[in-house]
Amino acid sequence: MRHRRLLSAAVVTASVSLLGTSLVASSATAEAPYRITLPAAADGIETPEEFFGFEMGTEGKLAAYPDVLDYMKTIAKQSDRVDYETVGETTMGNEYATVFISAPKNLERLDEIVAASQKLSDPRSTSEAEAKALARESVPIYHLEATIHSTEVGNGQAINDIVHRLATEDSDFTEEVLNNSVIMLVPSQNPDGQHLVVDHFNRTAGTDLARTYPDLYHKYTGHDDNRDWTMFTQVEAQYRLELEKKYRPVMTHIMHQQGNGGERIFVPPYGGVTSANVPPNMNASSAVVGQHAARQLAAEGKSGVGSLDYHIFWTLEQPVGFFPFTGTGAYLTEIASATDLAYPQKSNDGKPLGPQVPTQALIEPYEKDTWTLKDIVEYASTATYAGMEYVAQNGEKLLYDNLFAVPQEYMENGVKSGVEAYVVDAEQRDPFATYEMLERLDWTQVEIHRATAPFTAGGKEYAAGSHVIKTRQPRGNWVDQVLGKDTYPTDDLPYAEATTSLPLQLGVAVDEVKGAVDAQLERVTSVEVPTVTMPAAPGASGAYLVRPESYGTIQVVSALQKANITTFRAGKEFAAAGTTYPAGTYVVPATPQARSVLATSTKKVGVPVTAVATAPNVKGIQLKPRTRVGLLRGANNMPGGWDMWLLDQYKINYEVVGAQDFQTGRLIDVYDTIVLPQGISKARIVDGLDQERYDEEFAWAYGVGEAGWKKLRQFVRQGGTLLAIGSSVATAKELLDLPIEPALPTDQDVFATGGSLLNHEFDTSDMVAWGMPEKWPVWLYNTQAWKPTGKKADVVSTYPQSDVLASGYLKGEDYIEGAANVVSFDVGKGKVVTYGSEITFRSLPRSSFNLLYNAVYGGPAAEVNKTQLRKLQPAFSSSGRLLQ
């Protein structure tokens, strides 16, 4: 089929033409034809200035998010060009909304327009002739997304001007845009952050307090809230996914701001390498609309327009994620920020701001020494109007080339890797991980099949119940992207991720098959947690057993903890009722209460329970009842935010460690285990937030001083468990003089991973690694591996002596070969476990979660011998230690 070559070539030609146009546009002072000054109130609709009491872009003034929504609702009531819809509640209970803007005739037939876009996106039921007719008769949807990063406040102000103009103005521009497209505006992809940031800014006006909100501006993810496009963990990401699936926009305009040291605005084309799975006409159409905007900015005399940057089409951590894979073009704008959100930036030497050497990536440098919030609003408006205009003028082509031709290409020609299918063997060590992987594929409209009989593919035999995910389907490129392994091709590394392999991250065995799969298959219509049933209750001397391999057991243990049910773990492999169980197997007394908790909790995660008539006669540990967990994350620590999400998701009994916890008494009286997320340094703990700059709302994040640092050391020596992740390992080493040294050079010209999955070996006899496979990859990104320097270091896991890279990128492999990753130490009466790799990175590497939770509960646990384990009732003292 010729779609890929012919369509992308046509778009590229248009892109080159527009690039040429923008090159000669120069800094003309004449305004573009559609740039008309915002009119006074029309038909009773207030201007933003009248509604908010100030002009958008006014120095030191920011419209609060609830007021923005009220303004949108007001316009929707007064204008037949605007409709307002509430999508749902956010993580913190705020309103997530959409605003639809178009000619009244289009809003009246919006269901018909959406149905056409849906039909175009399904080449299985739409012929080319039908697709051409639909593209000709319908209009495209332009998805405009403002303020996901909530300190990037200018775009959230600009949309008020944009909506007012479209609702009130009669011009050639508005007639063309409204008649020939539908604008779907999300006023904020992160409403919670808008509340936190803007409310804090307005609350601190006229004070000496810092104006910028100091903590995470999304409850869990902070600035990472646009990096959730494979697992879709946050409700806001799920809303965005559902909007994409329902409305099928041809273009998504993602409005961002960047630091204030570079160009004044970035527009596509993007830089860096691109994944072979990104459709060629997605790259090209992004470049076209970006250069259309560059031309209009230049025509208005708006200089400092950059391009050829941002590595957004290799992996999914940047704003675009899943969406370009479906045929939605990704139009990203990044505008330079002002000072303290809303105050002018001025150069110190009176010279123009930003880079001043003209290049192909920055044709006309910015010529002024000042940059204001008003500039941000005006640049954002121009870039948005240009994007709308381009889509309105090219709707028929975009509807056909993007929505229809992209999925048709993969249906007919397959993916560039040559993989025909990915097979998920029915026999998996972690059924919950398999469920979560298949569920995410299902969320993204991937077609999944299940074998109804045994079959052979790629020379391997598979049992009935194995899943087959073919690549010749509308989402075939997405399948290849997230199920395949990656080899990142250059040293120019992306922001964080050089791989997106879900199977390796979750711990699922998946095989790629390059030949045809000949099997009896049925379509999976819904993905369900594996069904498990409780065994018959054993007698009073019996016990329930839960194997430790699945990270789903974390939720089972938290339920047992909450119910205060005695729980043991076997210290080594044992046999019971003809079955061999590994070290770490959970042993639970056969009481009615335990049965009830196990029945409910295991059903949620599909982890089976077995019962034995006699409790196993094996050494082990008894978990401390209701283990108390502390997360010492500090302010604005994104890894700590993700760890909060994990702890909440798995119902762990935890609290964020606050400065007040260090002020009286002993930490050991408050917590059994304290977790240091990635990024916690001594300075974060000792100095914390400046009390002069942040009021009592943030007292929990104040510094604890050297006395608090000493108390943290005493916590361990007095019997506490301290777990340090990533760069926080260096903090734990400094705190307790741990006998380890860094193994990796910090010079990225010598060693770098760029966010990759590296092969790994585990000592599964060690409590920290119970339930882990002997070999499986771990995630490494900008953190260390370690070398033990003393006998007191118990190495739990290491990188292999060769073939370290599993998926992604690795330079300087010889430095990491054989180095330690997870190391355990006994310090005084307590325990320390260090994790060199970031085992909880953005909640993705779930196959390594048990490494953390084993230690969360195992550190404070008490050792029990055979007799005590069999009796099932040893007693703990008030300090949590076993009474012998």
Side-chain angles (χ1 to χ4, degrees):
M1 183 178 178
R2 296 174 297 177
H3 279 297
R4 175 181 289 157
R5 179 174 297 171
L6 294 180
L7 292 174
S8 62
V11 181
V12 169
T13 300
S15 177
V16 172
S17 174
L18 280 172
L19 279 163
T21 303
S22 65
L23 284 170
V24 298
S26 74
S27 57
T29 56
E31 291 187 342
Y34 56 74
R35 285 294 287 159
I36 300 172
T37 303
L38 284 170
D43 298 326
I45 300 176
E46 293 178 291
T47 65
E49 183 175 3
E50 291 168 335
F51 185 88
F52 295 101
F54 55 88
E55 184 181 7
M56 296 297 96
T58 299
E59 178 181 324
K61 296 287 188 179
L62 294 177
Y65 181 69
D67 296 336
V68 171
L69 293 191
D70 285 345
Y71 187 51
M72 300 294 166
K73 292 174 184 176
T74 299
I75 293 180
K77 290 178 181 178
Q78 298 175 342
S79 172
D80 58 0
R81 301 177 181 180
V82 180
D83 283 344
Y84 183 99
E85 291 185 9
T86 298
V87 176
E89 282 194 358
T90 62
T91 300
M92 297 174 67
N94 293 307
E95 182 179 1
Y96 188 107
T98 54
V99 180
F100 293 90
I101 312 159
S102 190
K105 63 180 182 181
N106 287 332
L107 293 180
E108 290 172 3
R109 67 177 188 125
L110 184 58
D111 289 345
E112 176 187 328
I113 292 169
V114 171
S117 294
Q118 289 285 352
K119 193 167 177 59
L120 281 163
S121 300
D122 184 13
R124 292 189 188 282
S125 60
T126 308
S127 68
E128 289 194 33
E130 290 174 318
K132 289 177 180 178
L134 286 168
R136 186 170 54 251
E137 296 164 4
S138 190
V139 298
I141 294 175
Y142 182 91
H143 176 194
L144 180 62
E145 176 184 285
T147 61
I148 183 168
H149 291 160
S150 298
T151 53
E152 300 168 11
V153 295
N155 297 305
Q157 309 301 297
I159 57 173
N160 298 299
D161 286 345
I162 292 167
V163 173
H164 180 267
R165 179 185 181 186
L166 294 174
T168 61
E169 182 180 289
D170 291 316
S171 67
D172 291 344
F173 165 71
T174 54
E175 182 179 0
E176 181 173 57
V177 167
L178 297 175
N179 284 332
N180 298 330
S181 67
V182 174
I183 312 301
M184 180 175 72
L185 166 66
V186 174
S188 178
Q189 172 65 16
N190 179 17
D192 296 345
Q194 286 300 104
H195 272 277
L196 295 170
V197 169
V198 178
D199 291 356
H200 178 82
F201 179 86
N202 290 334
R203 181 174 69 85
T204 56
T207 73
D208 293 329
L209 298 173
R211 304 300 302 280
T212 302
Y213 187 75
D215 198 19
L216 298 171
Y217 49 73
H218 178 277
K219 179 177 180 179
Y220 295 119
T221 66
H223 195 76
D224 278 348
D225 58 357
N226 69 328
R227 298 176 177 93
D228 188 28
W229 306 135
T230 54
M231 292 302 291
F232 302 96
T233 62
Q234 306 303 306
V235 66
E236 295 85 359
Q238 293 166 20
Y239 288 152
R240 189 187 189 212
L241 176 62
E242 291 307 310
L243 289 173
E244 167 74 20
K245 288 158 56 176
K246 178 178 180 180
Y247 291 101
R248 302 300 296 117
V250 300
M251 190 71 65
T252 291
H253 180 183
I254 309 145
M255 305 174 77
H256 275 274
Q257 285 174 229
Q258 57 186 345
N260 55 23
E263 68 264 11
R264 297 300 91 185
I265 186 173
F266 165 84
V267 296
Y270 305 113
V273 297
T274 184
S275 168
N277 289 313
V278 175
N281 44 346
M282 293 300 93
N283 279 286
S285 61
S286 297
V288 171
V289 71
Q291 289 307 292
H292 186 69
R295 181 179 63 183
Q296 303 303 344
L297 288 158
E300 294 181 26
K302 291 180 170 62
S303 58
V305 181
S307 59
L308 300 175
D309 200 353
Y310 290 90
H311 303 61
I312 72 169
F313 275 155
W314 173 259
T315 58
L316 316 173
E317 93 283 333
Q318 283 290 341
V320 294
F322 163 69
F323 313 102
F325 292 81
T326 70
T328 294
Y331 172 33
L332 169 68
T333 53
E334 293 266 4
I335 303 176
S337 295
T339 300
D340 286 342
L341 303 183
Y343 293 92
Q345 176 200 3
K346 295 180 179 292
S347 66
N348 295 327
D349 54 10
K351 295 181 180 179
L353 294 168
Q356 293 299 304
V357 178
T359 67
Q360 292 300 310
L362 180 68
I363 295 172
E364 186 179 22
Y366 187 65
E367 73 281 4
K368 300 177 183 178
D369 67 351
T370 303
W371 180 252
T372 67
L373 179 63
K374 185 63 174 176
D375 291 325
I376 296 171
V377 169
E378 291 182 350
Y379 273 60
S381 298
T382 296
T384 301
Y385 295 141
M388 292 175 178
E389 181 184 63
Y390 177 78
V391 168
Q393 291 175 348
N394 296 276
E396 181 178 343
K397 184 172 182 58
L398 290 169
L399 283 166
Y400 184 85
D401 288 1
N402 286 15
L403 296 193
F404 178 75
V406 166
Q408 187 187 41
E409 167 70 19
Y410 298 105
M411 279 179 50
E412 297 197 4
N413 288 350
V415 295
K416 287 187 177 181
S417 69
V419 175
E420 289 292 329
Y422 289 90
V423 181
V424 185
D425 199 315
E427 298 298 323
Q428 296 284 338
R429 65 187 309 276
D430 189 344
F432 184 61
T434 307
Y435 157 74
E436 288 210 305
M437 186 187 77
L438 294 174
E439 179 190 49
R440 267 44 176 204
L441 293 175
D442 184 55
W443 284 1
T444 50
Q445 299 178 312
V446 168
E447 296 172 0
I448 304 169
H449 289 86
R450 183 189 299 110
T452 58
F455 67 99
T456 300
K460 181 177 177 179
E461 294 182 358
Y462 295 93
S466 297
H467 290 89
V468 178
I469 300 101
K470 298 179 181 180
T471 59
R472 290 181 186 268
Q473 60 165 296
R475 295 290 175 268
N477 56 331
W478 178 250
V479 169
D480 202 43
Q481 181 71 24
V482 297
L483 295 188
K485 297 178 182 178
D486 300 294
T487 302
Y488 191 79
T490 76
D491 292 336
D492 185 15
L493 296 179
Y495 172 75
E497 293 157 284
T499 180
T500 53
S501 175
L502 283 181
L504 294 184
Q505 290 173 337
L506 302 185
V508 183
V510 176
D511 299 319
E512 63 177 44
V513 179
K514 294 205 169 181
V517 176
D518 183 12
Q520 298 177 35
L521 302 175
E522 62 180 2
R523 177 77 180 272
V524 175
T525 56
S526 65
V527 176
E528 307 292 342
V529 177
T531 301
V532 292
T533 56
M534 287 294 292
S541 298
Y544 294 111
L545 305 179
V546 179
R547 297 179 66 91
E549 291 93 345
S550 174
Y551 61 79
T553 59
I554 300 167
Q555 298 184 53
V556 177
V557 175
S558 68
L560 292 168
Q561 284 267 309
K562 182 177 181 180
N564 201 23
I565 292 173
T566 303
T567 305
F568 298 87
R569 300 193 73 179
K572 62 180 182 179
E573 182 180 278
F574 66 93
T579 300
T580 300
Y581 293 86
T585 294
Y586 295 91
V587 182
V588 183
T591 65
Q593 184 189 20
R595 182 180 181 84
S596 175
V597 172
L598 286 171
T600 300
S601 60
T602 58
K603 183 179 180 180
K604 293 178 181 178
V605 294
V607 174
V609 180
T610 56
V612 290
T614 303
N617 196 17
V618 61
K619 288 184 178 180
I621 60 174
Q622 179 180 351
L623 305 190
K624 182 179 179 183
R626 293 178 175 168
T627 302
R628 304 161 303 171
V629 182
L631 182 69
L632 206 172
R633 70 172 183 87
N636 200 30
N637 173 252
M638 286 185 289
W642 283 106
D643 290 347
M644 282 198 304
W645 181 83
L646 290 172
L647 292 165
D648 281 339
Q649 186 78 4
Y650 296 154
K651 305 295 190 293
I652 307 300
N653 176 29
Y654 86 102
E655 297 288 342
V656 171
V657 179
Q660 67 275 7
D661 292 321
F662 291 83
Q663 292 169 1
T664 59
R666 306 183 309 167
L667 287 172
I668 193 65
D669 294 330
V670 183
Y671 301 107
D672 301 306
T673 298
I674 291 178
V675 180
L676 301 182
Q678 153 77 3
I680 299 300
S681 63
K682 180 179 179 180
R684 272 186 181 265
I685 297 171
V686 172
D687 300 333
L689 289 181
D690 184 351
Q691 298 185 36
E692 299 298 320
R693 299 277 288 158
Y694 300 97
D695 58 19
E696 291 187 0
E697 179 182 347
F698 305 102
W700 64 273
Y702 289 166
V704 300
E706 290 293 338
W709 179 251
K710 182 179 179 181
K711 279 194 173 185
L712 186 60
R713 181 184 300 118
Q714 291 172 338
F715 164 77
V716 177
R717 296 192 180 281
Q718 291 166 349
T721 296
L722 183 70
L723 311 179
I725 302 173
S727 63
S728 296
V729 172
T731 306
K733 170 179 166 57
E734 181 180 4
L735 177 72
L736 296 159
D737 193 26
L738 300 177
I740 50 174
E741 291 181 352
L744 306 178
T746 57
D747 183 354
Q748 289 203 341
D749 290 333
V750 177
F751 178 87
T753 57
S756 299
L757 289 157
L758 305 185
N759 288 317
H760 215 57
E761 299 173 350
F762 300 93
D763 177 3
T764 58
S765 68
D766 191 292
M767 176 272 292
V768 179
W770 282 345
M772 295 296 294
E774 292 185 356
K775 296 180 180 181
W776 196 263
V778 296
W779 177 266
L780 190 68
Y781 170 58
N782 278 353
T783 58
Q784 265 290 348
W786 296 87
K787 294 179 180 178
T789 59
K791 295 181 180 180
K792 294 183 179 180
D794 181 12
V795 177
V796 179
S797 72
T798 59
Y799 297 93
Q801 293 291 344
S802 62
D803 297 324
V804 178
L805 180 64
S807 186
Y809 174 93
L810 179 61
K811 177 196 291 184
E813 179 175 303
D814 53 326
Y815 288 100
I816 200 170
E817 289 175 344
N821 179 26
V822 182
V823 187
S824 178
F825 310 84
D826 291 325
V827 179
K829 297 179 180 179
K831 179 176 284 293
V832 178
V833 182
T834 59
Y835 306 88
S837 67
E838 196 175 344
I839 59 171
T840 55
F841 180 80
R842 295 182 188 160
S843 83
L844 293 174
R846 302 187 178 197
S847 61
S848 57
F849 282 1
N850 279 340
L851 293 168
L852 180 68
Y853 291 98
N854 284 345
V856 162
Y857 294 117
E863 293 184 3
V864 293
N865 61 33
K866 297 179 182 179
T867 303
Q868 289 166 327
L869 182 55
R870 199 155 192 174
K871 288 183 178 178
L872 297 176
Q873 288 298 328
F876 279 83
S877 70
S878 60
S879 66
R881 293 296 153 190
L882 185 69
L883 294 174
Q884 299 292 343

